[in-house]
Amino acid sequence: MIISFSLTLKLAEKLEVPEPLKAGIKTVTRRNWSDKTFDQITKAYDQGRKQHSAWNNCSFVPGACPIGIIELTHRPYWEKLGDMPESDVFAEGNLWASKKEFIKMLRLPLDKKLCVVRFQFKQ
């Protein structure tokens, strides 16, 4: 599976901070995935396929390319956005001052369930 980190890369560049993936800061991502995509990644995890391609953008975007590998450290799971732990603001890349700011950026309701993917980035 290909997982794009375009938002993280663009925001880090805009804020002129080190790339959170390469710095080892970003270790979790939340995705607004369909049940089908969730089922694909959890099936892969359950079968021991825990490594996935990390890309700088969606694979169909011209110029998109792989930037490394993410290795899942936990089985992906659903979580309401409002239930996100405050500590995950740092693990999401440390690009927001608070959980409230992170949620505001997403423009999603607090009761929206997102897929939480915890990982370790490898180049």
Side-chain angles (χ1 to χ4, degrees):
M1 177 174 269
I2 293 173
I3 300 178
S4 165
F5 290 94
S6 58
L7 177 63
T8 299
L9 299 174
K10 288 174 188 172
L11 189 53
E13 184 178 340
K14 179 182 175 184
L15 296 173
E16 298 180 348
V17 297
E19 189 179 304
L21 283 165
K22 291 181 180 176
I25 295 169
K26 185 163 179 70
T27 58
V28 67
T29 189
R30 284 170 167 73
R31 301 298 167 129
N32 191 12
W33 280 342
S34 66
D35 289 338
K36 180 181 177 184
T37 302
F38 175 80
D39 290 345
Q40 288 173 337
I41 199 161
T42 53
K43 181 179 179 182
Y45 183 90
D46 293 343
Q47 293 175 344
R49 293 182 284 126
K50 298 178 183 179
Q51 291 191 345
H52 301 274
S53 294
W55 282 50
N56 67 345
N57 214 327
C58 295
S59 59
F60 56 82
V61 173
C65 63
I67 56 172
I69 298 290
I70 63 165
E71 184 167 345
L72 303 186
T73 57
H74 296 79
R75 188 179 197 270
Y77 58 93
W78 293 111
E79 179 180 74
K80 288 182 182 177
L81 189 53
D83 293 340
M84 173 182 148
E86 188 73 37
S87 60
D88 273 5
V89 175
F90 182 84
E92 280 280 1
N94 197 30
L95 301 170
W96 300 270
S98 66
K99 174 180 167 178
K100 184 177 179 179
E101 187 179 306
F102 176 79
I103 291 171
K104 183 179 176 183
M105 178 272 308
L106 292 177
R107 299 181 189 163
L108 294 170
L110 293 176
D111 63 348
K112 176 67 176 170
K113 286 187 178 181
L114 300 177
C115 179
V116 180
V117 181
R118 297 189 181 276
F119 63 88
Q120 179 181 11
F121 180 74
K122 299 177 179 188
Q123 283 186 296

